[in-house]
Amino acid sequence: MQKTVLIVEDETRIAQWVKTYFERAGFYAEVCADGRSGLQTARQLAPDIIVLDLMLPGMSGEAVCEALRRESDVPIIMLTAKGAHHDRITGLESGADDYMVKPFNPEELVARANAILRRVKGKVQNSLQCGPVSLDLGARVATLSGAPIALSVAQITLLETFMRHPNQVLTRNQLIEMAFEGNFDAFDRAIDSHIRRLRKVLHIENHEPIQTVYGAGYKYVVTDLNL
Ligand code: CA
């Protein structure tokens, strides 16, 4: 089934550019240039996912996001200005599922949209699957080729975060923010040992799913996404 994306962005060049990339990826895409029409279109179109600029004329992206959250759980990716840390926080606090900082790579935006859509599907299924690794989100049990893996609660949460963002570079801060909503100070120091543990249990033959991207963070590499 063709997925629908609504792009709410007042900069025509960016909006068209994003639209083109989504269309290439097989989406049906619609563009709105201001917050109010974005909100109206979201209600009428019921898109699978929304790309929402934070800085919009009239009604801000933040207000649109908050209004949408009161009536739907449609996934929202917020576009924020470069370097504006508070914009990112604002975006996430207003209910966005993810954010991208301008200037961004449109291919990465589409990849993240697809990852979120898989996550939504995963919620319905109540499990995540990446290659041979499966995670039961209800029972909080991970298995590798059907065999249960012994992991702590924090490690399961970390694994879930990796599985929800396959093939995406995640910084330590992003991991902590996404897995523990940023309020897990002790985890910052423990993260390396948790990742070592995950690496040890997930390692199969020559395949190392959790890779270090030097100077950037970690990436959970999945070659066969059975989603
Ligand atoms: Ca804007």
Side-chain angles (χ1 to χ4, degrees), residues 8-11 14 53-57 79 102:
V8 189
E9 166 63 82
D10 58 313
E11 286 169 75
I14 296 177
D53 187 30
L54 187 61
M55 299 292 284
L56 290 167
L79 302 179
K102 291 178 179 179

Side-chain angles (χ1 to χ4, degrees), residues 24 72 104 115 122 133 136 139 159 173:
R24 276 187 206 160
S72 115
F104 55 85
V133 182
D136 183 324
L159 176 62
N173 284 344

Side-chain angles (χ1 to χ4, degrees), residues 108-122:
E108 192 190 341
L109 174 62
V110 173
R112 287 210 197 172
N114 277 322
I116 292 171
L117 290 169
R118 281 194 298 269
R119 189 197 306 178
V120 171
K121 198 177 152 207

Side-chain angles (χ1 to χ4, degrees), residues 46-206:
D48 294 290
I49 192 159
I50 298 175
V51 174
L52 180 63
D53 187 30
L54 187 61
M55 299 292 284
L56 290 167
M59 190 177 185
S60 74
E62 183 187 1
V64 173
C65 192
E66 284 171 352
L68 284 170
R69 270 295 159 268
R70 283 194 288 271
E71 51 198 72
S72 115
D73 59 359
V74 59
I76 297 170
I77 302 179
M78 196 76 96
L79 302 179
T80 71
K82 191 185 178 189
H85 179 75
H86 66 276
D87 278 6
R88 184 170 59 103
I89 301 301
T90 301
L92 294 175
E93 280 182 353
S94 60
D97 296 84
D98 203 351
Y99 63 88
M100 291 217 63
V101 179
K102 291 178 179 179
F104 55 85
N105 177 343
E107 285 177 349
E108 192 190 341
L109 174 62
V110 173
R112 287 210 197 172
N114 277 322
I116 292 171
L117 290 169
R118 281 194 298 269
R119 189 197 306 178
V120 171
K121 198 177 152 207
K123 265 186 195 159
V124 174
Q125 294 170 336
N126 210 25
S127 72
L128 296 171
Q129 181 84 38
C130 286
V133 182
S134 179
L135 176 61
D136 183 324
L137 297 169
R140 311 295 296 165
V141 171
T143 55
L144 178 66
S145 305
I149 314 169
L151 292 172
S152 69
V153 174
Q155 287 156 4
I156 288 278
T157 307
L158 188 59
L159 176 62
E160 181 184 349
T161 307
F162 275 122
M163 291 177 79
R164 289 189 188 283
H165 301 86
N167 302 325
Q168 188 180 324
V169 178
L170 300 172
T171 65
R172 278 164 147 265
N173 284 344
Q174 280 175 321
L175 281 169
I176 293 163
E177 203 167 294
M178 289 192 279
F180 303 102
E181 293 167 348
N183 51 21
F184 198 110
D185 289 347
F187 189 80
D188 195 11
R189 289 180 291 277
I191 190 163
D192 293 325
S193 62
H194 287 312
I195 287 172
R196 266 197 303 278
R197 173 68 189 160
L198 285 176
R199 278 190 167 142
K200 192 177 173 195
V201 295
L202 298 176
H203 179 90
I204 312 170
E205 290 163 13
N206 295 322

